[in-house]
Amino acid sequence: MAARRYLLSSFLFLTTAFALFFTWLHLSPPPPNAAELLDCAAYSPWCSSKSYPTTLGRQSPTRRHDHSSDTPHHPLDPLTVTEINKAHSILSSHPLFKSSPFSIHSLVLEEPNKSIVLKWKIGDPLPPRKAFVIARVNGNSHVLTVDLTTANVVIRETGPHSGYPVMTVEEMNSATFVPLTSESFNQTILNRGIALSDLACLPISTGWFGAAEENRRLIKVQCYSMKDTANFYMRPIEGLTVLVDLDSLEVIEISDKGKNIPIPKAANTDYRYSAQPPNKVMKVLNPISIEQPKGPSFTVEENYLVKWGNWEFHLKPDPRAGIVIYGAKIRDPETGDLRDVIYKGYTSELFVPYMDPTDAWYFKTYMDAGEYGFGLQAMSLDPLNDCPRNAYYMDGVFAAVDGKPYLRRNMICLFESYAGDIGWRHAESPITGMDITEVRPKVTLVARMAASVANYDYIVDWEFQTDGLIRIKVGLSGILMVKGTSYENTNQFAGEDLHGTLLSENVIGVIHDHYITFYLDMDIDGSDNSFVKVNLQRQRTSKGESPRKSYLKAVRKVAKTEKEAQVKLSLYDPSEFHVVNPSVKTRVGNPVGYKVVPAATAGNLLDLDDPPQRRGAFTNNQIWVTPYNRSEEWAGGQFVYQSHGEDTLQTWSDRDREIENKDIVVWYTLGFHHIPCQEDFPIMPTVSASFDLKPVNFFESNPILSFPPNTFEDLPVCKPAASA
Ligand SMILES: *[C@@H]1O[C@H](CO)[C@@H](O)[C@H](O)[C@H]1NC(C)=O
Ligand SMILES: *[C@@H]1O[C@H](CO)[C@@H](O)[C@H](O)[C@H]1NC(C)=O
Ligand SMILES: *[C@@H]1O[C@H](CO)[C@@H](O)[C@H](O)[C@H]1NC(C)=O
């Protein structure tokens, strides 16, 4: 029993992920069924319709799409189960993999060249399907291309590079067991009064801090007590860090500097609904949902093609990036043509440096995509709570460490959102004698995933609007990484730098930043685009010209080379950032474009020479523009784990290549500074930030004049059966 409890606890981290490898066809999360849905009595025929639950979507969350016969339909569609199996069998008989144990760190589509994809038309045969593979064999990383038609395997020359591939989920899991192979580790745990059966351990990437860490793949393991709470994160065994060799799974070193720091109490840390005592003071809200009497307005065709309103785009799950949007086009209301907006967009890298330079904390400088796999950490979404009832769910098809396919069910959801906002409006004052009130509700289409990278949860939304705007939003929730302390009250440490906030007795929430860097290959009406800074400048009037002394004027400057497009935002030097097609003009002569519209964000203030910041140099600016290069996809480099920072967006951009009227890629970094506060304990209410891609002289005029307003007839009211 004790052994079993121990196993359970050690497996806690990523247990969901791991379990799914083996059970994808058999197990399923408890699905809502028709009986649980509110029974509606008629105010309208729709309300009493027997098909009520299914008219809400063509697909219920209980649906189990059988992926075994999936086929790709677009050159950028992800590898299917069949294709991953094929790649696996080709690799299994390859000499490199025959003699030695190996681990597959990536097995995804190797995309055809962009020129080939752009020439491809619906109905054409697909370009040859290939797998891009990163594998480790005998302590070496290999990059391979597997041609799925010819079975040809090409081992690619990667040149010298410092880092290692994304960890596999299996490795992260194995690493958490390694400390238990050490007697002295066991002893120190017991000495602190913790039963080994109450341990929960986390695999923490080590960053990179110099020569002592060279030539082997390392990970640091830190542990928590899960006694009396599901929220073990709030019970750190402070100062205990086990350095582990990730290849040999051996303990290299144990650093034990927190022996006198108590384990914070378990009381009030559990966040589960079932663990909350009844609260007689709080008045809870009534249930709420969106109703779509005529069903949703979007369709998902050929597995990944989304059509909604005037938009068409492809959406796919990716093990490293999470959500990938490709081939996004919008229909022009005047010509009826589908016009290119985005070739490809995704989360390229994350950077999360903690602001505590002490022994057990300095290395916490996570890069969640390149180290942990942002998509690998995206868990199955919870119907009705992660996404509303009208949501459609999409599964991720990924390869496990042995190269065999597995499914991440319900990894992405897609739904129409109506938050009661207004798309556009105007009402005439009675003084005009005109009776006009014209209002359009704003309905948007959201593609969402939520990654739980150990303690933290990132919610990523791509929100499409009918007016052409795309809002990219990141929400942060989940649980803080906290530090144990002997302090129980702020009156005990006047003046001392705690590196954070005392959140509860013996618990410090450590200050940290989050940066999320997006890759945006914009193709505005074609690939050759320019980046234009439209700078607002104060212009003084000349003497006697006007009663005004100053005004603002817009000064356009086309960025000729990469360095001219490295942008640090400033409130007092404002610009708009346009991506335009200089060869396509509107009726009145403006170049068609989309602008990148920043909103609340944070700039990185670390020293440029700080080792984490060298690796995270892609956060040195909020905006960068590079010429399209299929090798420059991951802002922190292809091999991020323990990298030194020699292959980042900063290095590429500093080549200062020409970017005017060329196929360009825009990079935008969304940032958050986080000084924790008591409301973040024991779990954080979601904090969100976003930026927009917004049409600028792209359409001839407001593109949504012909979308109708809502009427009461369109939206019948249902009332619960009990009171009917
Ligand atoms: C893709 O482009 C690269 C570089 O531009 C070239 O070396 C390669 O041959 C191309 N591949 C195909 C299949 O056209
Ligand atoms: C440490 O404790 C675990 C759990 O009780 C046990 O399985 C393991 O063998 C112990 N390690 C050593 C080296 O004794
Ligand atoms: C494309 O990117 C790779 C990796 O950064 C670089 O080695 C190569 O020189 C780039 N090619 C061009 C034309 O910039």
Side-chain angles (χ1 to χ4, degrees):
M1 188 61 202
R4 218 174 129 200
R5 179 80 202 284
Y6 158 68
L7 260 176
L8 274 173
S9 59
S10 287
F11 260 89
L12 203 85
F13 174 66
L14 293 172
T15 170
T16 338
F18 208 64
L20 277 162
F21 290 165
F22 305 110
T23 56
W24 58 273
L25 282 174
H26 312 292
L27 284 185
S28 54
N33 55 42
E36 287 171 45
L37 293 168
L38 196 65
D39 191 16
C40 272
Y43 269 21
S44 99
W46 170 69
C47 294
S48 59
S49 155
K50 288 220 163 44
S51 59
Y52 173 74
T54 51
T55 56
L56 289 172
R58 298 151 322 296
Q59 172 222 42
S60 91
T62 57
R63 155 207 87 115
R64 281 290 171 261
H65 176 88
D66 173 12
H67 291 264
S68 58
S69 55
D70 282 355
T71 51
H73 296 272
H74 181 279
L76 299 183
D77 281 354
L79 295 182
T80 62
V81 167
T82 313
E83 288 174 325
I84 294 176
N85 274 324
K86 186 142 190 217
H88 171 258
S89 87
I90 295 169
L91 289 174
S92 304
S93 56
H94 190 274
L96 182 64
F97 297 90
K98 264 189 151 162
S99 45
S100 327
F102 62 90
S103 52
I104 301 293
H105 294 252
S106 175
L107 199 171
V108 294
L109 176 77
E110 173 153 314
E111 293 184 2
N113 281 354
K114 186 169 171 181
S115 57
I116 293 170
V117 178
L118 291 176
K119 274 195 219 107
W120 179 86
K121 300 256 172 327
I122 293 170
D124 290 353
L126 288 180
R129 298 282 288 175
K130 295 178 184 175
F132 171 87
V133 178
I134 298 180
R136 280 184 62 79
V137 189
N138 279 332
N140 293 311
S141 305
H142 299 273
V143 177
L144 306 99
T145 301
V146 180
D147 189 316
L148 298 174
T149 320
T150 63
N152 188 36
V153 177
V154 177
I155 302 182
R156 293 209 301 206
E157 195 43 65
T158 55
H161 59 263
S162 54
Y164 299 108
V166 178
M167 286 183 281
T168 66
V169 174
E170 294 82 349
E171 281 173 346
M172 296 176 221
N173 195 61
S174 315
T176 62
F177 288 92
V178 174
L180 291 150
T181 61
S182 155
E183 224 174 294
S184 78
F185 174 82
N186 279 10
Q187 200 52 54
T188 194
I189 295 299
L190 295 172
N191 289 349
R192 292 187 198 219
I194 300 164
L196 289 160
S197 56
D198 283 331
L199 269 190
C201 299
L202 295 183
I204 302 177
S205 54
T206 51
W208 175 75
F209 294 90
E213 298 175 351
E214 284 309 272
N215 302 321
R216 55 179 167 182
R217 222 155 51 103
L218 302 170
I219 191 151
K220 289 182 173 172
V221 179
Q222 294 187 335
C223 303
Y224 300 77
S225 167
M226 56 184 296
K227 188 164 171 15
D228 301 330
T229 181
N231 192 352
F232 60 89
Y233 299 102
M234 291 302 128
R235 307 202 69 199
I237 303 170
E238 192 53 50
L240 178 62
T241 308
V242 184
L243 182 64
V244 169
D245 184 309
L246 199 45
D247 281 317
S248 66
L249 295 177
E250 287 166 334
V251 171
I252 298 171
E253 194 179 282
I254 299 178
S255 174
D256 191 3
K257 302 199 168 163
K259 286 181 185 141
N260 300 321
I261 299 176
I263 311 289
K265 63 183 182 214
N268 304 324
T269 58
D270 205 324
Y271 48 85
R272 292 172 300 176
Y273 187 65
S274 57
Q276 304 313 308
N279 186 322
K280 298 203 175 69
V281 187
M282 289 284 269
K283 190 159 164 42
V284 298
L285 307 181
N286 293 332
I288 191 166
S289 182
I290 290 184
E291 322 238 300
Q292 298 191 290
K294 294 179 183 164
S297 302
F298 67 89
T299 57
V300 179
E301 298 170 15
E302 301 171 344
N303 300 323
Y304 301 107
L305 171 60
V306 180
K307 295 183 179 176
W308 174 75
N310 40 2
W311 279 105
E312 284 195 23
F313 60 91
H314 288 79
L315 172 66
K316 69 176 167 186
D318 179 85
R320 183 160 176 173
I323 289 184
V324 177
I325 301 288
Y326 53 108
K329 299 166 194 282
I330 192 164
R331 198 171 297 282
D332 189 290
E334 304 213 344
T335 62
D337 294 340
L338 273 175
R339 298 171 60 189
D340 294 342
V341 179
I342 299 179
Y343 179 73
K344 195 175 164 192
Y346 57 90
T347 314
S348 177
E349 193 51 274
L350 292 90
F351 181 42
V352 188
Y354 280 71
M355 304 301 169
D356 182 337
T358 59
D359 182 73
W361 281 82
Y362 73 91
F363 54 88
K364 291 175 185 170
T365 54
Y366 307 97
M367 295 200 181
D368 291 323
E371 294 177 339
Y372 292 88
F374 202 43
L376 293 178
Q377 310 303 339
M379 304 290 144
S380 297
L381 294 161
D382 182 28
L384 295 188
N385 295 303
D386 270 326
C387 315
R389 190 167 61 189
N390 58 345
Y392 171 96
Y393 293 85
M394 193 179 273
D395 304 331
V397 180
F398 300 153
V401 67
D402 59 1
K404 292 197 183 133
Y406 69 95
L407 295 189
R408 173 56 43 81
R409 289 286 184 196
N410 297 354
M411 175 183 150
I412 292 177
C413 72
L414 189 65
F415 60 91
E416 285 172 285
S417 174
Y418 174 54
D421 289 336
I422 295 166
W424 62 263
R425 84 178 310 284
H426 181 65
E428 270 308 331
S429 155
I431 56 169
T432 63
M434 299 166 85
D435 180 18
I436 294 181
T437 303
E438 282 284 328
V439 192
R440 300 294 180 273
K442 180 181 284 191
V443 177
T444 65
L445 182 70
V446 178
R448 169 173 298 167
M449 68 154 223
S452 303
V453 193
N455 54 313
Y456 241 98
D457 292 63
Y458 294 89
I459 304 149
V460 177
D461 283 0
W462 283 75
E463 181 171 17
F464 292 79
Q465 294 187 182
T466 51
D467 61 5
L469 183 140
I470 302 171
R471 174 157 298 167
I472 298 155
K473 184 162 93 178
V474 177
L476 307 180
S477 188
I479 302 171
L480 284 172
M481 186 146 266
V482 301
K483 182 175 180 174
T485 174
S486 48
Y487 298 130
E488 297 193 333
N489 193 287
T490 58
N491 62 18
Q492 296 169 330
F493 55 85
E496 188 182 332
D497 184 358
L498 282 195
H499 311 293
T501 310
L502 193 65
L503 302 179
S504 174
E505 290 77 8
N506 309 113
V507 178
I508 295 171
V510 176
I511 297 169
H512 57 279
D513 286 348
H514 295 266
Y515 298 96
I516 302 99
T517 298
F518 287 89
Y519 173 103
L520 304 161
D521 181 356
M522 306 298 291
D523 275 14
I524 306 299
D525 273 335
S527 292
D528 287 347
N529 291 170
S530 294
F531 180 71
V532 186
K533 276 193 260 186
V534 183
N535 190 227
L536 279 171
Q537 296 176 1
R538 181 174 57 225
Q539 178 73 37
R540 291 187 185 285
T541 53
S542 47
K543 221 173 169 178
E545 183 190 346
S546 163
R548 288 282 296 274
K549 288 212 160 37
S550 67
Y551 64 97
L552 298 189
K553 70 172 182 185
V555 179
R556 295 171 60 87
K557 185 159 187 281
V558 178
K560 305 259 187 240
T561 64
E562 289 178 285
K563 283 188 184 168
E564 290 178 21
Q566 297 182 352
V567 175
K568 287 188 170 63
L569 298 173
S570 160
L571 263 189
Y572 288 92
D573 183 19
S575 291
E576 287 196 354
F577 307 101
H578 295 195
V579 179
V580 302
N581 187 326
S583 321
V584 181
K585 303 256 164 79
T586 59
R587 192 178 71 248
V588 297
N590 291 308
V592 298
Y594 254 71
K595 60 182 174 182
V596 180
V597 188
T601 189
N604 198 319
L605 302 176
L606 289 176
D607 197 301
L608 295 183
D609 275 341
D610 197 359
Q613 192 55 34
R614 279 161 62 182
R615 305 177 62 233
F618 53 90
T619 62
N620 290 343
N621 297 300
Q622 284 77 54
I623 299 176
W624 316 68
V625 179
T626 56
Y628 173 84
N629 177 335
R630 59 176 290 164
S631 310
E632 296 174 355
E633 288 184 293
W634 305 107
Q638 173 72 263
F639 296 99
V640 164
Y641 201 95
Q642 277 176 265
S643 64
H644 304 180
E646 77 282 26
D647 183 29
T648 69
L649 176 54
Q650 175 85 60
T651 344
W652 313 333
S653 169
D654 281 346
R655 292 183 192 137
D656 208 19
R657 294 162 292 191
E658 289 183 358
I659 53 170
E660 185 180 4
N661 201 8
K662 290 209 165 355
D663 189 2
I664 54 177
V665 175
V666 177
W667 306 75
Y668 184 82
T669 295
L670 195 59
F672 300 75
H673 296 302
H674 191 175
I675 305 173
C677 61
Q678 283 190 245
E679 289 79 0
D680 295 334
F681 180 94
I683 194 159
M684 293 173 285
T686 306
V687 170
S688 302
S690 64
F691 67 99
D692 295 340
L693 302 172
K694 184 177 189 302
V696 59
N697 304 319
F698 182 82
F699 296 112
E700 293 292 351
S701 58
N702 181 336
I704 49 170
L705 288 183
S706 59
F707 278 67
N710 278 339
T711 66
F712 282 98
E713 290 71 36
D714 293 334
L715 294 167
V717 178
C718 298
K719 74 174 188 178
S723 58

